[in-house]
Amino acid sequence: MAWQIQCTASPPLPSLSSFTRKCLPSPSLPLPVTRSPRFCFSHVPSHRPVTASLSAVKSPTSTDGLDNSNTPLLEVKGLTAVIAETKQEILKGVDLVVHQGEIHAIMGKNGSGKSTFSKVLVGHPDYEVTGGSVVFKGENLLDMEPEERSLAGLFMTFQTPVEIPGVSNIDFLNMAYNARRKKLGMPELGPLEFYGYISPKLELVNMKIDFLNRNVNEGFSGGERKRNEILQLAVLGADLAILDEIDSGLDIDALRDVAKAVNGLLTPKNSVLMITHYRRLLEVIKPACIHIMEDGRIIKTGDSSLAEVLEEKGYTAVSAA
């Protein structure tokens, strides 16, 4: 059974963290937005993609292979995956389509497969894809190594950002940013040029300049770590930012700072996929479409009113059972 829901336009946001085979943090996005509504399509038991569309916007990031707004930035069809060590199946046929300039949110109970889905997208070695396809910017994402996915413009924030002792924030960000520029065929920035580039971005995330000299996330509070993730996103300019529970562990002021930064980074060609349990995040970073995940599948798609239904009646109101 399929249904169609108009998704009203809603504000944007971003945040990132790069992913390598060792699962260390990394990358970013840019500027303001203009949005125009499109339509969301949700397919429940079928294996056709769940779609949602908003608008298009401008960004200095790479979108090679995407000629127009009708070409999906990310298209996931029938994705299945297991835990690599135990072969326990977690994802059981995920369908999702994200276009440029859109914000999507995935909600669901604990254990529904939300975080596994995000980790599979960035190539986490703890999971093994057993079926389906993932196309990112017109290319087969599943054929790429984790670092290649990052350089291609995919970024993910960690629920609990890791520390990297002995590596300063500015060195880490400079190296990551230059790797991205090299991939895009652009010249690398020297230390002084990079300092000029990153300084305004510190203001965006409400971080002091001395954070650049501290080791990555070492001794940082929960809020500082999340701000640091968004700083990485701001610096690296990703095409798709996956925010995995970016609101966890944040007080209301820190949440507002993070949301303001994310909203300020979205461009017409960049998109955001948020994973969250709470409506409070959706009130400050407004998605065009909300997807409900249950037992490794997306079972329903709607606009922001779906979050209100969940808060009032719980997941039983939208359960596939």
Side-chain angles (χ1 to χ4, degrees), residues 85-287:
E85 188 174 343
T86 65
K87 304 304 178 185
Q88 178 187 352
E89 189 175 36
I90 305 295
L91 301 183
K92 303 176 182 180
V94 178
D95 298 316
L96 178 70
V97 174
V98 178
H99 289 83
Q100 293 178 353
E102 295 179 346
I103 300 174
H104 290 237
I106 296 179
M107 303 182 75
K109 296 178 183 178
N110 288 329
S112 61
K114 304 183 302 300
S115 290
T116 296
F117 178 48
S118 67
K119 290 175 181 176
V120 166
L121 289 179
V122 297
H124 197 300
D126 285 353
Y127 301 94
E128 178 184 323
V129 173
T130 54
S133 64
V134 182
V135 176
F136 178 60
K137 294 166 59 179
E139 297 185 7
N140 185 348
L141 188 71
L142 301 179
D143 283 345
M144 301 180 193
E145 295 296 317
E147 56 272 26
E148 293 173 326
R149 301 181 194 198
S150 173
L151 292 174
L154 193 62
F155 181 92
M156 189 184 93
T157 62
F158 291 104
Q159 287 187 32
T160 307
V162 298
E163 295 182 3
I164 309 180
V167 179
S168 71
N169 258 328
I170 193 162
D171 287 343
F172 173 74
L173 290 169
N174 196 357
M175 288 187 289
Y177 181 63
N178 278 336
R180 176 95 167 113
R181 286 178 66 90
K182 185 176 179 181
K183 171 72 175 177
L184 298 176
M186 301 167 69
E188 297 183 4
L189 295 187
L192 289 178
E193 292 173 300
F194 182 70
Y195 182 81
Y197 169 75
I198 196 175
S199 294
K201 300 186 185 306
L202 291 169
E203 266 184 62
L204 182 67
V205 294
N206 197 21
M207 292 178 74
K208 295 179 180 177
I209 200 77
D210 61 357
F211 274 85
L212 293 178
N213 295 321
R214 295 172 62 180
N215 291 338
V216 179
N217 293 326
E218 197 170 36
F220 284 22
S221 68
E224 288 171 340
R225 290 186 181 212
K226 294 299 174 75
R227 285 190 181 95
N228 208 26
E229 296 276 280
I230 303 305
L231 177 62
Q232 293 169 29
L233 173 62
V235 166
L236 296 168
D239 297 302
L240 178 63
I242 303 171
L243 311 182
D244 190 6
E245 298 192 22
I246 192 71
D247 52 331
S248 65
L250 295 183
D251 60 37
I252 190 63
D253 291 333
L255 178 62
R256 284 173 181 157
D257 284 343
V258 166
K260 180 181 177 182
V262 169
N263 284 321
L265 288 174
L266 191 68
T267 77
K269 290 187 178 179
N270 293 336
S271 301
V272 172
L273 180 61
M274 301 186 293
I275 294 168
T276 185
H277 286 287
Y278 305 110
R279 183 183 168 192
R280 70 170 190 161
L281 178 63
L282 309 184
E283 291 173 343
V284 288
I285 297 175
K286 300 181 185 294

